[in-house]
Amino acid sequence: MKLLRCTADTPFWSVSVDRELSSNMYLSMKPSLMLVDSHPSDLPAHFQLKDNNVVKSRTFDEMIHMQVGQVISTHGKYVDEISLRFFQGIHRWLPVISRQRFQDRLISFRGPPTAEFSLLLLSMCLITSQPSADSRGTIKDQENLYLTTKMLFAHVQTVLPTSTSLAQALLLIANYEYGHGLNDAAYVSIGICARMGFAVGLHKTMLNRNSREDETWLQREEERNLWWGILLSERFIASETDKPLATQLPSIDRDLPSDIDLADRSSVTKAETIEHQPVYAFDSETVGSFGREVQATYLYAKVLEAMEIEDPVAKQVEQLHMDSSLQAFFTSIISQCGSTWGLYCGSIALSIGALFTLHGYVLSHSSETQETEALHRSSTAALCTLVKMVVDIARSFNENIHTLDIEILPPRTWNFVRTARYLLDTSGEIRSRECCADVDEIRMMMRHLSQRWKLVGEQLEALEADYFGR
């Protein structure tokens, strides 16, 4: 009995799989069985790899298209739904795909889309998927979708040369892995993604604003954003593994990523008509949310560099300078975002994290002498202020949870974990009512976010196991 049902009249992206027959399979078997019948029984003679590693035949595109269609249909998804969910959610904090270029490509195919595009769509389906308490077996379905996506990516990557679309797909896969606590897999994926970026020349988009003859202005802006997305993703993924990076941050005079949504809506065709801000424009009021996250990443890197200075006087001077710079930068972000929820979460989180790291280091690595007494008081006060801010963010989130879209929030809650641990560690054996209330606000926020990202749930479980014996 065959699991897959496909007729000649089946439209693109609508092949179905019998869910009842596959419900009792082992998880590791489902992806293989889902794909096995979608391979053509015999390939035409001209289906082969050329010397330049380019597939000549269309049948490979058809095969991948049918496989992706089966997977998407099996999980009850539609292309329009996936696209809408991605660009209204994940795209807000990871703007590495131009909505306009994606839609143009989607409607331009007269036959099956390219294998790279099909795989990109499947990766968008993966990162927008989430467990649902109302659907039996959804968590296993999500794991099954992940395994299938990884298998198909390996297949396509083996057959086709590296491309921008494949780098985009793998970046989404790496962020999915990070958000669901698969740290080692995420580290490997983002490392491969970085090298794919080097292979297709994404790093060169930092060096020249002039478009190549074979690309549009919007395509170049998309590629620059993609490279920034790889650089930033690698850094927060590697922070969970304490392993070396494959990339280096460009010099501080390079252009920030564009507001790609504005570019999508614009009739601009020439790069010269769009203002590009350099990374060092920290006090600019026109930098977008993704650009702010890039700037916050640079400031965080400067904090880490300051911690490595050996001369104590030079180290203290640089620490004071970084404290002043971070406070000014943080103030400008808060002023810029106003009451908008979620748009600047990445840069705010990085700024708070950098300040937390800086002042925590000052308190733990300098002796309390008469010369450093003022510095200790200043760092203690700064940490208290940061803790209050994080708790206020958690409280506001909990109070407005029914009106907030969790999809626009990245899975980066280490500031909340760090704050909760700081409160519990400094509260003494008898915790005050205020301390308990503050920690409960953080735990409640993390419970909400854990419904979307498994990583947050694992962090919450570790916190509760360490302090509450659960």
Side-chain angles (χ1 to χ4, degrees):
M1 181 182 298
K2 289 193 174 183
L3 286 174
L4 308 181
R5 300 193 301 272
C6 179
T7 68
D9 297 328
T10 302
F12 289 147
W13 310 114
S14 60
V15 185
S16 63
V17 176
D18 194 322
R19 293 177 62 89
E20 182 178 354
L21 289 175
S22 62
S23 60
N24 295 321
M25 293 179 183
Y26 288 110
L27 181 62
S28 60
M29 293 175 58
K30 288 184 180 181
S32 298
L33 291 175
M34 187 181 300
L35 302 178
V36 66
D37 279 358
S38 61
H39 289 265
S41 57
D42 41 24
L43 294 173
H46 64 278
F47 182 83
Q48 58 184 348
L49 288 177
K50 299 298 182 182
D51 291 339
N52 61 357
N53 208 33
V54 178
V55 177
K56 181 179 180 180
S57 176
R58 236 181 86 185
T59 52
F60 185 73
D61 290 337
E62 292 175 341
M63 181 173 62
I64 297 302
H65 157 70
M66 183 157 60
Q67 291 173 335
V68 170
Q70 288 170 350
V71 175
I72 290 176
S73 178
T74 298
H75 290 272
K77 304 295 183 182
Y78 299 92
V79 176
D80 290 343
E81 174 191 358
I82 294 169
S83 175
L84 182 65
R85 188 178 183 87
F86 177 85
F87 286 108
Q88 288 186 347
I90 305 298
H91 180 73
R92 298 284 294 276
W93 54 268
L94 192 62
V96 296
I97 302 173
S98 162
R99 186 199 303 253
Q100 184 62 54
R101 295 195 70 241
F102 178 84
Q103 295 293 342
D104 288 347
R105 294 176 67 191
L106 186 63
I107 64 177
S108 67
F109 297 111
R110 296 184 179 180
T114 63
E116 301 101 310
F117 186 84
S118 296
L119 188 61
L120 177 59
L121 179 64
L122 182 59
S123 299
M124 293 166 64
C125 178
L126 173 67
I127 199 170
T128 56
S129 67
Q130 58 177 307
S132 171
D134 299 328
S135 178
R136 185 183 65 178
T138 306
I139 294 178
K140 288 186 177 181
D141 285 348
Q142 189 181 46
E143 293 174 353
N144 177 30
L145 176 60
Y146 166 65
L147 292 175
T148 306
T149 304
K150 291 277 282 191
M151 289 171 60
L152 271 174
F153 182 87
H155 186 186
V156 174
Q157 185 190 20
T158 301
V159 175
L160 297 180
T162 300
S163 66
T164 298
S165 293
L166 287 180
Q168 289 171 320
L170 189 53
L171 179 60
L172 299 185
I173 292 172
N175 275 272
Y176 171 89
E177 290 168 333
Y178 171 78
H180 291 277
L182 305 172
N183 294 333
D184 288 341
Y187 179 75
V188 171
S189 294
I190 197 62
I192 297 173
C193 186
R195 284 162 176 78
M196 292 176 73
F198 283 122
V200 299
L202 293 180
H203 60 296
K204 296 179 181 178
T205 61
M206 303 289 181
L207 305 176
N208 190 358
R209 292 184 183 179
N210 296 323
S211 297
R212 299 190 305 268
E213 292 181 0
D214 62 339
E215 70 178 354
T216 65
W217 169 80
L218 185 56
Q219 179 181 344
R220 182 183 55 75
E221 296 299 314
E222 180 185 46
E223 290 177 351
R224 179 188 286 121
N225 277 34
L226 173 59
W227 186 240
W228 277 121
I230 292 172
L231 295 178
L232 268 59
S233 295
E234 186 189 24
R235 274 147 185 81
F236 63 73
I237 288 172
S239 68
E240 296 287 338
T241 63
D242 195 28
K243 292 182 174 66
L245 300 171
T247 62
Q248 292 182 341
L249 290 175
S251 62
I252 201 168
D253 61 344
R254 300 304 180 194
D255 287 344
L256 288 167
S258 302
D259 185 342
I260 202 167
D261 285 330
L262 179 61
D264 281 335
R265 297 191 298 269
S266 175
S267 60
V268 174
T269 58
K270 294 183 179 180
E272 291 79 7
T273 59
I274 283 291
E275 179 184 4
H276 289 82
Q277 297 277 4
V279 175
Y280 62 74
F282 296 106
D283 57 351
S284 172
E285 297 181 356
T286 60
V287 177
S289 58
F290 195 39
R292 287 300 192 194
E293 189 165 350
V294 168
Q295 291 177 322
T297 300
Y298 271 77
L299 291 174
Y300 206 141
K302 293 293 290 183
V303 168
L304 298 179
E305 290 176 8
M307 292 162 53
E308 299 299 323
I309 298 176
E310 295 184 1
D311 181 78
V313 176
K315 174 179 285 190
Q316 183 173 334
V317 170
E318 183 62 19
Q319 288 172 342
L320 291 172
H321 171 68
M322 289 310 306
D323 179 51
S324 176
S325 298
L326 281 165
Q327 289 192 42
F329 178 70
F330 185 78
T331 300
S332 65
I333 296 177
I334 296 299
S335 175
Q336 189 172 352
C337 71
S339 59
T340 305
W341 244 103
L343 191 57
Y344 290 86
C345 277
S347 54
I348 290 175
L350 282 167
S351 300
I352 292 176
L355 285 165
F356 222 118
T357 299
L358 175 64
H359 292 289
Y361 181 86
V362 170
L363 292 177
S364 61
H365 286 78
S366 59
S367 58
E368 291 192 56
T369 64
Q370 187 173 1
E371 292 78 12
T372 61
E373 183 180 356
L375 188 61
H376 271 254
R377 286 200 304 268
S378 176
S379 289
T380 301
L383 286 179
C384 290
T385 301
L386 291 170
V387 166
K388 185 178 184 303
M389 291 176 59
V390 172
V391 172
D392 286 344
I393 291 172
R395 182 175 293 110
S396 176
F397 177 92
N398 294 330
E399 291 174 351
N400 296 278
I401 182 61
H402 298 297
T403 61
L404 296 177
D405 183 6
I406 294 181
E407 288 296 304
I408 68 175
L409 302 178
R412 306 172 202 168
T413 55
W414 36 270
N415 278 333
F416 297 97
V417 176
R418 178 187 285 182
T419 298
R421 289 184 179 276
Y422 178 84
L423 283 168
L424 294 168
D425 288 340
T426 58
S427 62
E429 295 184 5
I430 302 177
R431 297 165 186 159
S432 67
R433 181 177 301 177
E434 181 181 4
C435 170
C436 293
D438 289 345
V439 173
D440 285 344
E441 290 287 355
I442 293 174
R443 292 165 66 193
M444 184 183 299
M445 178 182 185
M446 294 183 69
R447 288 192 192 99
H448 288 306
L449 289 175
S450 67
Q451 297 175 16
R452 178 63 178 91
W453 302 106
K454 294 179 184 177
L455 171 66
V456 182
E458 292 174 0
Q459 292 173 336
L460 178 60
E461 288 179 5
L463 177 69
E464 295 186 335
D466 289 343
Y467 292 94
F468 301 97
R470 298 181 183 179

